[in-house]
Amino acid sequence: MHDKTSNSWLKLDNAATIYPSTLSRKFAAMFRLTITLKDNVDVDVLNTALNNIIDRFPTFKYKLKKGLFWYYFKQINKKMVLEKDYNNPMLRINFKRNNNYMFRVRYYKNRIAIEYFHALTDGYGGTVFISTLIGEYIRLKYKENITYNNYCLDPKSKVLEEEVRDDFYKYAKYNIKTSLEKEEFAYHYKGSLENKNILNIITAIIPLKSLKELANKYDITITVLLVSLFISSIQEMYLKDNKKKNRPIKVSVPVNLRKYYNSKTMRNFSSYLNIGIDLKYGTYTFEEIIKIVKNTMELNLTEKKLNAKFSANVKLTKNIFIRLMPLFVKKPLMSIVELMMGDRYATTTLSNLGLIKLPKEVEKYVEEMNFILGRSRGKPSSCSCVSYKDNLYLTFSRNIKESEFERIVLTKLVEFNIPVLVESNRR
């Protein structure tokens, strides 16, 4: 019997098809998850833990290959190499030096970091992988008996067929008339571009309790609160900008589709929503912005709306002309489309992984978690957050020198009497 969970080659999932086309010497769509432990990392134990769990995640053991018409994944049999972490995260992975793996595991003092090329998985898949790695590391190092959960898997448990599946294809509807929605380009604030190897990172550590209290006051979720703060902060910058083009301010919010379907896939399965305001109608108060964000999310975050959006994308890749177009023609075209349609439609991003619950035996050794988005091709900055134990870790990554946007957002939080602790990778 052929085991479907360990094919020697694999088609890219529908969301992943765009990422290889945007790969260049300067750029790769990356994200990073870090876990900070109470003790320094034991590299030998980490190495053993990694080798113990890798077979539990068969879709992570593939390299990217060029076919005649599409990119595809081919299985790897080499061992994974650990590397030391340093100040400059998420430089494009040199696949050859990395034994062709599309992610890398790094360590520094008491921190373990994994950087993923987005074609491999999304934030959810990445979180399950790092949580399982930490679970195994703690089991080996401290002889703990782990009570596994949906984030931290038992490395000996059976790989389910649905973890390997491309759920975009499974759930897409072909019988409804869908087309990609037309959108307006968004306002981008300007700044002095950094060297391509530099990503400026600022992390704000915010007590969850005080954020929840503020969100409850307005009867909204933490995501709605943060998106509203972002829009309000960008509005301030927009009003001072003499060279601005008359464009809407929009925040792109990735959406984990697993919540809408019974999905266990470890591959990409997310969509996004661009939410914003148009200043040609005038300036908005914070309350008005909250109302718009809350209502836009309630109207659009429904299974039917989200399905129509990704079904249109799936239909596109099934189009006979696109399928038969050779890859050397398709790659530059897809790269242009992604640049035009992706980053041009949003001012910034807010990707919220939500509250991560690790098993209690693991939690006692883990101080904090962090989630960082790599540099964006067209937007000046991207933001991401994850909640762990009592704090929310909000991280801004930007490819410009100026930190005006972060300064305004964090000042607004402080004005709401929310304590904020700030860390940066720039001295």
Side-chain angles (χ1 to χ4, degrees):
M1 189 181 115
H2 182 58
D3 181 9
K4 277 201 178 163
T5 55
S6 60
N7 296 330
S8 62
W9 71 277
L10 205 59
K11 265 177 158 170
L12 273 68
D13 65 69
N14 186 257
T17 49
I18 199 80
Y19 297 118
S21 304
T22 63
L23 264 179
S24 67
R25 280 201 303 277
K26 288 185 189 169
F27 179 79
M30 306 272 294
F31 67 93
R32 166 182 167 109
L33 284 153
T34 65
I35 280 184
T36 309
L37 300 165
K38 289 187 175 163
D39 305 326
N40 277 354
V41 174
D42 182 325
V43 184
D44 294 335
V45 175
L46 182 62
N47 204 20
T48 309
L50 182 60
N51 290 325
N52 287 359
I53 74 154
I54 190 81
D55 286 336
R56 180 61 190 77
F57 295 87
T59 55
F60 284 56
K61 293 181 68 178
Y62 284 94
K63 59 182 171 185
L64 189 64
K65 295 285 285 179
K66 265 183 182 175
L68 183 58
F69 299 106
W70 293 104
Y71 283 92
Y72 65 96
F73 290 152
K74 193 172 185 335
Q75 211 166 34
I76 303 173
N77 296 315
K78 289 179 182 166
K79 282 261 190 286
M80 180 90 213
V81 228
L82 292 176
E83 25 175 302
K84 269 195 115 145
D85 200 11
Y86 36 91
N87 210 16
N88 241 352
M90 278 177 298
L91 289 178
R92 183 190 184 293
I93 295 183
N94 180 324
F95 292 132
K96 274 206 177 74
R97 278 214 301 264
N98 198 42
N99 276 350
N100 288 316
Y101 280 91
M102 288 181 282
F103 68 101
R104 55 180 165 219
V105 181
R106 304 177 127 180
Y107 61 91
Y108 176 73
K109 291 184 177 167
N110 60 337
R111 182 177 70 217
I112 294 168
I114 306 186
E115 297 179 348
Y116 302 88
F117 176 42
H118 219 320
L120 183 68
T121 187
D122 56 18
Y124 173 84
T127 306
V128 174
F129 187 84
I130 195 169
S131 304
T132 304
L133 174 64
I134 294 302
E136 182 62 4
Y137 173 85
I138 281 159
R139 185 188 73 81
L140 295 168
K141 177 137 175 82
Y142 303 102
K143 311 288 179 270
E144 288 280 355
N145 247 336
I146 314 278
T147 38
Y148 297 103
N149 66 9
N150 56 342
Y151 281 113
C152 180
L153 306 180
D154 178 353
K156 293 192 176 69
S157 60
K158 192 174 169 296
V159 179
L160 304 171
E161 204 176 301
E162 47 266 45
E163 291 172 0
V164 181
R165 196 169 59 199
D166 176 358
D167 275 349
F168 287 109
Y169 283 108
K170 174 165 171 61
Y171 294 108
K173 295 185 179 127
Y174 303 105
N175 53 351
I176 48 173
K177 229 178 143 40
T178 51
S179 60
L180 296 166
E181 281 182 30
K182 290 192 170 41
E183 272 201 61
E184 260 186 277
F185 285 163
Y187 165 68
H188 281 181
Y189 51 89
K190 295 284 178 274
S192 344
L193 266 184
E194 283 284 18
N195 171 313
K196 68 174 192 309
N197 293 332
I198 290 176
L199 186 66
N200 292 317
I201 289 161
I202 289 177
T203 298
I205 303 170
I206 309 163
L208 261 176
K209 189 170 171 284
S210 47
L211 265 183
K212 275 191 183 135
E213 279 167 9
L214 182 59
N216 291 342
K217 188 183 132 190
Y218 290 106
D219 186 30
I220 52 175
T221 63
I222 286 177
T223 303
V224 171
L225 176 66
L226 292 172
V227 171
S228 305
L229 276 169
F230 284 11
I231 292 171
S232 165
S233 304
I234 297 161
Q235 178 175 255
E236 258 182 55
M237 295 168 76
Y238 180 97
L239 297 170
K240 285 187 228 154
D241 184 350
N242 323 327
K243 294 200 179 94
K244 63 176 169 264
K245 294 187 172 85
N246 210 351
R247 288 186 174 154
I249 293 168
K250 290 190 279 186
V251 177
S252 183
V253 181
V255 182
N256 179 2
L257 292 169
R258 294 168 187 83
K259 293 175 184 162
Y260 298 85
Y261 299 92
N262 183 17
S263 170
K264 292 190 171 70
T265 185
M266 287 295 160
R267 302 172 73 184
N268 285 291
F269 195 44
S270 14
S271 187
Y272 66 91
L273 186 57
N274 293 337
I275 309 168
I277 57 170
D278 201 333
L279 282 120
K280 62 172 176 264
Y281 304 116
T283 317
Y284 294 76
T285 64
F286 188 55
E287 283 72 17
E288 285 174 320
I289 292 171
I290 282 178
K291 208 170 173 180
I292 291 168
V293 174
K294 184 184 179 180
N295 292 336
T296 308
M297 285 180 88
E298 280 176 358
L299 282 171
N300 292 284
L301 293 184
T302 63
E303 186 274 330
K304 290 178 178 60
K305 272 274 193 173
L306 291 164
N307 189 290
K309 195 170 196 170
F310 74 76
S311 293
N313 279 325
V314 171
K315 255 185 183 159
L316 203 61
T317 56
K318 286 193 168 293
N319 177 303
I320 191 76
F321 294 109
I322 291 173
R323 283 174 65 180
L324 294 177
M325 195 185 279
L327 190 61
F328 71 89
V329 178
K330 207 178 281 167
K331 180 175 156 71
L333 273 177
M334 283 171 80
S335 179
I336 292 162
V337 166
E338 196 277 337
L339 188 61
M340 293 295 288
M341 294 177 69
D343 287 350
R344 298 287 287 276
Y345 288 160
T347 314
T348 190
T349 300
L350 175 68
S351 185
N352 184 357
L353 281 182
L355 181 67
I356 308 300
K357 297 284 282 181
L358 294 175
K360 56 183 189 303
E361 305 83 7
V362 176
E363 220 168 46
K364 62 184 187 201
Y365 298 97
V366 175
E367 293 272 89
E368 55 183 65
M369 282 187 85
N370 213 322
F371 170 43
I372 309 174
L373 296 178
R375 69 185 290 147
S376 175
R377 281 209 302 168
K379 298 193 297 284
S381 75
S382 296
C383 314
S384 46
C385 62
V386 60
S387 302
Y388 174 69
K389 286 185 182 167
D390 302 325
N391 292 316
L392 178 131
Y393 298 86
L394 175 65
T395 301
F396 300 86
S397 42
R398 68 177 196 280
N399 48 22
I400 57 172
K401 291 187 166 72
E402 296 78 3
S403 57
E404 182 67 356
F405 171 54
E406 296 91 317
R407 188 190 65 73
I408 300 173
V409 172
L410 300 177
T411 304
K412 282 185 188 298
L413 281 167
V414 173
E415 283 166 359
F416 277 119
N417 291 323
I418 291 178
V420 176
L421 179 70
V422 178
E423 295 174 350
S424 162
N425 72 330
R426 293 281 154 254
R427 293 290 165 261

